[in-house]
Amino acid sequence: MSNLSLTPEEQSLLAGEAGPGVQRAMEIVVALGRIYGAGDLTPVQHVQISGVSYKNLGDAGVEFLNKWADSGAKVRVPTTLNPAGMELDQWEAMGISPDFARPQLTAIGAFVRMGVNPTMSCTPYLLPGLAPQRGDHLAWAESSAVAWANSVVGAYTNREGGPSALAAAIVGRTARYGFHLDKNRKATHVVEVACPVRDVADFGALSYLVGQAVGDGTPFFPDLGAWLPPLPADLTQGGEAGDRLKTLGAGIAAYGAVALFHVAGYTPEARDQGERLIRPDARRLTIDTLAPAYAIMDADPETVAIDLVTIGCPHASLTELQRIAERLRGETLRTRLWVTTARLTRERAAQSGWVQIIEAAGGEVVADTCAVVAPVRSLGIRTMATNAGKMACYAPMHSKVKMRYGDLDRCLDAALTGQWRDVPHPV
Ligand code: F3S
C-alpha cells in the first residue's frame, strides 16, 4: 500500500462532490493506485474499454453498466469501445438471436449514455483522429492495443480491466504505476530471431513462442527489424509492417501477458535508447524455428472442411482489405469469409471499392465484432481458419471451434475452395 497523493480536485471527486457515479469511479482508480504503490494519478488522453460483448458481460455486467449510467456519470476524455458480439445495425442479417441482441444493445446504450464513442473496434490506433501520440498517457484495456500503443507509438498504458478503464474515463485519470513510469519500461528479455519471419502468420507464430517464453516480461528484439518494412507515415493505413506488428503485439499479449516490446532501431524507445533499454539481468533466448508454434496453433490437422475463414484479428487495416480485395477480384467463394474491421475502416475501404470486390465474391466485411466475441457457435460455425495468432489462441477456447492456421493466401484459398490445403508450413 502506498501513500497516494491526491490533488484537491481529486479529493473532492473521491468525497462524492461530483455525484455517486464519479465517486465510485474515483474509488476504483484510487484503490488500484494504492494496491500497486502509485505515488499519484496521471491525466489520460484516451481510454479504450474492452469486454463489451454480451458474451463476456452476461446479464450481471449489463445491469452493472446500466446502474453506472443511471447515476449520471459521464466520461471526461475521448473514450472508445472494443468489438461487441454483433454488428450493431445488422445483427438480424448476421443471424444473431434477439435474446442476444437486446441485452447487447442495452449495454452499448449504457456506454453511449456515459458519453463513450461506440467505435466497436480493437484497433483504435487505426482510426483517424483517435490514434494516440508518443508520450500520451492512456488507460487502455484491449491487450493487443496496449502492446501497440506502448511499443509502436511510445505511449504509456497499463493493461487495464474493463471496469478500471471505464473508471479512468469517468475521472480522466489513472494511477501512475507500471508502464506509466519510464523505469518500468526496460527489457527483461533479449530475443534473437534466427529464422525467417516472412508474413503476418509467421509473426503470429513468433508471438506464440515469445509470449510463452517471456510471460509478462518485456522483450527486446535486436534483429527483428530485418523482417519489417518501414512503417507508413500515416499509421492508420496499417501497412505491411503495421499488420505484422499488430499481430505480434496481439499474440504476445494473448499467449503471454506482454504489454510492451522493443525492436532495435525500429520502435520509438529502442530508436532513442538502443541497448540501454536492456536490464542488466535480462534473460537471453534465441528463436531458431517457428515449427513448434505452427504445430500448436494449426491445432486440428485432421480438419479439412472449413465453415468460416476469418481475417482481421486485430481488426483489419486498409492494407489488409486491399490485399484481400486484390486476391478475390472476379472470384467466387465456396466458404463463408469474415474480414472483421472497424466501421470507419470499412467506410474508408469502400471508398476505394475494396469492400464491394470482397462482397461481390461472396465475402463479408464485418464491422463492430469478431469471431471470438460473436456467438459464432449459434451461427453454426464449428471449424475455422485464420492467419491471426490471437484468433488461433482464443477462438478454440471462447468459441469452441476447431482451428486451422496459416498464411493469408492459404486462408483465402480455403475460402475459395471450401477446403484447407495441407502443404507444409514454412519453418
Ligand atoms: Fe480484436 Fe477480436 Fe482479435 S477483439 S484482437 S479481433 S479477438
Side-chain angles (χ1 to χ4, degrees), residues 227-257:
W227 298 100
L228 289 165
L231 281 163
D234 173 8
L235 277 182
T236 70
Q237 296 281 329
E240 179 61 33
D243 295 339
R244 292 178 187 190
L245 289 171
K246 78 178 166 70
T247 294
L248 176 66
I252 52 180
Y255 290 110

Side-chain angles (χ1 to χ4, degrees), residues 82-83 122 142 144 312-315 370 372 390-391:
N82 239 34
C122 47
E142 164 54 40
S144 63
C313 169
H315 270 173
C370 78
V372 167
K390 180 173 175 180
M391 182 63 63

Side-chain angles (χ1 to χ4, degrees), residues 335-375:
T335 289
R336 198 164 184 185
L337 167 70
W338 279 11
V339 185
T340 51
T341 191
R343 186 168 287 265
L344 185 55
T345 304
R346 181 169 69 181
E347 287 169 16
R348 294 171 81 196
Q351 287 165 12
S352 299
W354 300 326
V355 172
Q356 297 85 332
I357 293 168
I358 295 167
E359 289 177 349
E364 299 164 70
V365 181
V366 178
D368 303 336
T369 189
C370 78
V372 167
V373 296

Side-chain angles (χ1 to χ4, degrees), residues 111-382:
F111 282 118
V112 170
R113 282 195 286 142
M114 287 187 269
V116 177
N117 181 350
T119 46
M120 322 309 308
S121 176
C122 47
T123 55
Y125 48 87
L126 295 182
L127 305 181
L130 291 170
Q133 305 296 314
R134 186 168 186 189
D136 282 354
H137 287 265
L138 315 169
W140 281 15
E142 164 54 40
S143 63
S144 63
V146 165
W148 177 282
N150 278 325
S151 314
V152 180
V153 178
Y156 295 82
T157 179
N158 289 319
R159 283 171 60 133
E160 300 283 347
S164 75
L166 179 56
I170 289 170
V171 298
R173 296 158 168 82
T174 190
R176 197 193 306 268
Y177 69 95
F179 292 101
H180 290 283
L181 300 170
D182 285 324
K183 67 177 184 178
N184 296 328
R185 297 172 68 89
K186 304 264 187 214
T188 58
H189 295 73
V190 177
V191 183
E192 288 183 25
V193 180
C195 57
V197 208
R198 301 180 187 90
D199 56 22
V200 163
D202 277 0
F203 270 74
L206 177 66
S207 77
Y208 169 83
L209 298 169
V210 177
Q212 293 276 298
V214 313
D216 63 358
T218 296
F220 181 98
F221 296 99
D223 45 18
L224 191 60
W227 298 100
L228 289 165
L231 281 163
D234 173 8
L235 277 182
T236 70
Q237 296 281 329
E240 179 61 33
D243 295 339
R244 292 178 187 190
L245 289 171
K246 78 178 166 70
T247 294
L248 176 66
I252 52 180
Y255 290 110
V258 172
L260 167 65
F261 62 88
H262 302 293
V263 180
Y266 198 91
T267 51
E269 284 153 281
R271 275 201 312 269
D272 290 353
Q273 300 177 55
E275 297 200 345
R276 295 197 305 282
L277 269 175
I278 301 170
R279 280 175 30 172
D281 61 347
R283 287 181 49 207
R284 295 186 176 263
L285 60 139
T286 301
I287 308 287
D288 49 21
T289 171
L290 302 177
Y294 275 101
I296 297 285
M297 297 165 75
D298 187 22
D300 295 289
E302 74 288 355
T303 297
V304 174
I306 304 296
D307 296 331
L308 176 70
V309 176
T310 179
I311 310 294
C313 169
H315 270 173
S317 69
L318 284 174
T319 308
E320 287 174 303
L321 282 154
Q322 178 180 9
R323 192 164 161 208
I324 294 164
E326 285 169 354
R327 175 70 180 85
L328 298 185
R329 187 187 296 274
E331 300 278 8
T332 302
L333 301 182
R334 298 187 60 175
T335 289
R336 198 164 184 185
L337 167 70
W338 279 11
V339 185
T340 51
T341 191
R343 186 168 287 265
L344 185 55
T345 304
R346 181 169 69 181
E347 287 169 16
R348 294 171 81 196
Q351 287 165 12
S352 299
W354 300 326
V355 172
Q356 297 85 332
I357 293 168
I358 295 167
E359 289 177 349
E364 299 164 70
V365 181
V366 178
D368 303 336
T369 189
C370 78
V372 167
V373 296
V376 293
R377 274 191 77 82
S378 73
L379 306 181
I381 307 298
R382 299 289 181 273

Side-chain angles (χ1 to χ4, degrees), residues 27-38:
E27 286 169 353
I28 292 171
V29 169
V30 165
L32 286 170
R34 291 196 169 124
I35 289 167
Y36 288 105

